Amino acid sequence: FDSLTVGENVAYPLRERAVRGQPLDEGLIQSIVTELLGKVELSEFRDVMPSSLSTGLKRSVAIARALAAEPEAILYDEPTTMVDPLMAQTLGDLILKLKHETGLTSIVVTHDMRLARKLADRIVFLVDGRVAFFGPPSELDSAAEPVVREFIQLDEVSFLK
């Protein structure tokens, strides 16, 4: 949320509990915010407004805010789109770290095959609304579906350029 600091963004779902009749002590809220900002390596940005952050850092704030809501699963929708390669690597590493630390199911929607291979236990490749491939990343290169093989091949070619 642009009108809230990074810390206030992360605290938002915690404060919403009070609206639903499950109030948290402000000290506990601040403690959780500190912990979550540490997890996403943004502790020093607690009092910064999101408008002064890069796209990648804003995504990290959004991840911390999502974790504050204590979800059963997290959906990442194109987390590396519109970020530079270094930030894409950083976000991928963060998602992988959080997956292992939290044990939460992570659903990552992406066109970035390197990211998919890095994060996935299973890949679902959709073509025109149907499942063209479902399986572990290790089996992706031997997919029977021609469009899947072509996508992977084109992705590798664009990576090499």
Side-chain angles (χ1 to χ4, degrees):
F1 304 117
D2 292 339
S3 61
L4 302 176
T5 67
V6 166
E8 291 167 334
N9 262 277
V10 177
Y12 185 83
L14 300 168
R15 291 195 173 110
E16 280 297 298
R17 289 183 189 174
V19 174
R20 296 188 309 261
Q22 303 169 341
L24 292 177
D25 172 72
E26 186 61 27
L28 179 58
I29 289 173
Q30 293 307 316
S31 176
I32 294 169
V33 168
T34 298
E35 177 188 345
L36 291 172
L37 287 175
K39 277 187 190 237
V40 299
E41 301 174 10
L42 292 178
S43 297
E44 68 272 22
F45 296 101
R46 181 187 202 110
D47 298 318
V48 173
M49 297 303 284
S51 59
S52 64
L53 299 177
S54 70
T55 300
L57 292 179
K58 287 177 187 176
R59 291 192 182 154
S60 294
V61 172
I63 291 169
R65 186 178 60 234
L67 290 171
E70 297 181 343
E72 292 181 32
I74 298 183
L75 172 65
Y76 300 92
D77 189 5
E78 295 286 359
T80 58
T81 298
M82 297 176 53
V83 298
D84 64 77
L86 182 59
M87 182 51 77
Q89 177 75 31
T90 300
L91 285 167
D93 290 346
L94 175 62
I95 292 167
L96 188 60
K97 177 183 103 170
L98 292 173
K99 173 183 160 185
H100 292 299
E101 284 182 4
T102 65
L104 290 173
T105 297
S106 297
I107 301 166
V108 182
V109 177
T110 186
H111 290 86
D112 181 342
M113 295 309 297
R114 285 175 286 151
L115 180 68
R117 290 176 192 274
K118 177 179 188 169
L119 299 177
D121 296 318
R122 297 278 183 268
I123 293 177
V124 177
F125 198 106
L126 300 175
V127 176
D128 297 327
R130 68 176 177 78
V131 175
F133 172 83
F134 174 73
S138 61
E139 295 177 10
L140 191 59
D141 291 327
S142 59
E145 185 75 36
V147 70
V148 174
R149 289 195 316 268
E150 182 180 0
F151 186 91
I152 292 166
Q153 199 171 37
L154 288 172
D155 185 62
E156 289 172 359
V157 170
S158 66
F159 174 67
L160 295 175
K161 286 185 179 179

